[in-house]
């Protein structure tokens, strides 16, 4: 019997739309776009003033990182044993996503996320899930369905923040809208983010308002807070004790709130070393930054629960300021240095809060301690990787810590009498107000049920 007489069973079926490498190609495209936004969202943290946005974006970035990680791993499974993730034909699309970082303002950056990039990912994920095969694609569908829910929530939240930013900075709205509109147009020119490969487009005209990204060396701060350089007197005044009781509770709450600098630093170093190190670094740095944002909100919520208004809460910047103009490795060193420096104190403070029957402060401090033990490992791991890769420009850990210590000491030594007086006044007002709340001595406090 000749080949012409061989008969076959029908094989056309909706499940067979994507073959193995077709699926891998699409999922790789999704991963590359997520990765681009993870880096830009992190880089912009120091340039965003509103505390809600500065602290919520790291949570969204961590969600995006988990999605990207699942996509990446699935691509490797489908392409086994190949473990290369070249940009290839997706370059025109990734270039558009990479432009997000060059926004003319924080408002423009957030607007483009809300109206261009997050919706593009949401639409693409919905399209893939709607026609994917639950049998062959099952391992990635759970991640994509969760990502759809997260993107919907992110977009709604970001749109609300855009309106709030436009209300406080109306002069930037028109520029932001032009920026987002131009990016949308550019995205459409390359075919958008779809299940099909993008296509090249004519050389782009200059995007209106485009400003090549530069890290904010002077961090943007929310003007609703009491903005200052040093956030508690003991930093610049050795005669002002760290304290016990109310003083310790307040000092701890204010310290947590002021881990804003750590959020900004985490974002800065994720951006700085994303291309020098591998995906595992981005994954760890995104988690590190997200954790620090959680610590900030721990302090914020405790202070709010004790009745403090935003303008009564000191929000400083001296640690972030001390690394201004330094190489990015100094910021990584700062973050690692302060994590390892204070780990031991966390346990003692949690024990003190237990004695005060302040379960809220105890709870936050215990979780903070657990996070910081993880972060200490992150700092060591990635400093070692950088030192091995760039031995001529990355100092050893001891030398890096000494340099960080020197920079912070110089910042503190430069404190003015006016700065010392200002933060003493703020702290004393907080202590006096806390005393009026009528907190009881531990021996008088009711025992928990």
């Amino acid at each position: 019997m000749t080949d012409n007489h061989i008969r076959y069973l029908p094989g056309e079926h909706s499940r067979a739309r994507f073959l193995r490498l077709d699926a891998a190609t699409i999922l790789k495209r999704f991963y590359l776009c997520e990765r681009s936004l993870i880096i830009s969202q992190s880089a912009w943290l120091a340039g965003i003033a509103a505390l809600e946005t500065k602290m919520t974006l790291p949570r969204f970035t961590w969600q995006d990182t988990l999605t990207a990680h699942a996509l990446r791993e699935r691509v490797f499974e489908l392409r086994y044993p190949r473990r290369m993730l070249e940009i290839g034909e997706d370059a025109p699309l990734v270039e558009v996503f990479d432009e997000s970082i060059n926004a003319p303002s924080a408002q423009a950056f957030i607007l483009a996320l809300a109206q261009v990039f997050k919706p593009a990912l949401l639409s693409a994920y919905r399209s893939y899930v709607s026609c994917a095969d639950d049998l062959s694609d099952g391992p990635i569908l759970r991640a994509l369905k969760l990502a759809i829910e997260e993107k919907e929530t992110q977009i709604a939240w970001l749109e609300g923040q855009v309106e709030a930013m436009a209300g406080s900075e109306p002069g930037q709205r028109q520029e932001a809208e032009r920026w987002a509109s131009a990016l949308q147009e550019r995205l459409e020119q390359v075919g958008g983010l779809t299940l099909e490969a993008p296509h090249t487009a004519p050389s782009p005209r200059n995007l209106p308002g485009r400003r090549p990204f530069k890290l904010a060396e002077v961090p943007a701060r929310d003007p609703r807070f009491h903005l200052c350089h040093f956030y508690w007197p003991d930093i610049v005044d050795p005669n002002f004790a760290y304290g016990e009781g109310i003083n310790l509770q307040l000092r701890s709450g204010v310290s947590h709130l002021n881990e804003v600098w750590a959020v900004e630093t985490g974002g800065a170093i994720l951006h700085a070393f994303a291309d020098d190190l591998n995906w595992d670094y981005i994954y760890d740095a995104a988690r590190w930054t997200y954790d620090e944002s959680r610590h900030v909100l721990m302090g914020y919520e405790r202070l709010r629960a004790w009745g403090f208004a935003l303008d009564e809460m000191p929000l400083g910047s001296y640690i972030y300021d001390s690394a201004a103009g330094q190489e990015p490795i100094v910021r990584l060193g700062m973050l690692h240095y302060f994590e390892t420096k204070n780990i031991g104190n966390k346990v003692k403070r949690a024990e003190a809060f237990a004695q005060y029957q302040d379960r809220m402060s105890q709870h936050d401090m215990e979780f903070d301690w657990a996070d910081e033990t993880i972060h200490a490992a992150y700092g060591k791991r990635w400093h070692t990787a950088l030192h091995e890769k760039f031995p001529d420009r990355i100092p050893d850990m001891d030398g890096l810590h000494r340099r960080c210590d020197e920079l912070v000491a110089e910042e503190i030594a430069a404190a003015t009498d006016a700065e010392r007086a200002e933060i003493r006044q703020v702290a004393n007002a907080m202590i006096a107000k806390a005393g009026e709340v009528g907190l009881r001595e531990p021996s008088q406090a009711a025992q928990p049920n």
Side-chain angles (χ1 to χ4, degrees), residues 341-371:
K341 181 180 179 182
N342 293 318
I343 286 178
N345 294 328
K346 306 287 184 181
V347 175
K348 295 177 182 177
R349 288 166 193 161
E351 292 172 350
F353 296 141
Q355 292 177 357
Y356 305 159
Q357 297 185 20
D358 178 0
R359 288 181 61 84
M360 184 166 57
S361 295
Q362 179 189 4
H363 167 276
D364 290 352
M365 193 61 69
E366 288 181 350
F367 278 91
D368 181 346
W369 174 87
D371 291 338

Side-chain angles (χ1 to χ4, degrees), residues 41 261 326 339 446:
Q41 288 170 171
W261 78 269
Q326 301 295 314
E339 298 280 13

Side-chain angles (χ1 to χ4, degrees), residues 30-38 64 67-68 121 125 151:
F30 295 168
Y31 159 77
L32 291 171
C33 292
E34 288 280 15
R35 180 185 182 276
S36 177
L37 290 190
I38 288 164
D64 299 344
T67 298
L121 285 162
Y125 292 165
K151 288 294 188 289

Side-chain angles (χ1 to χ4, degrees), residues 364-383:
D364 290 352
M365 193 61 69
E366 288 181 350
F367 278 91
D368 181 346
W369 174 87
D371 291 338
E372 292 197 353
T373 58
I374 299 169
H375 301 165
Y378 289 165
K380 182 176 181 181
R381 177 187 310 154
W382 296 113
H383 170 268

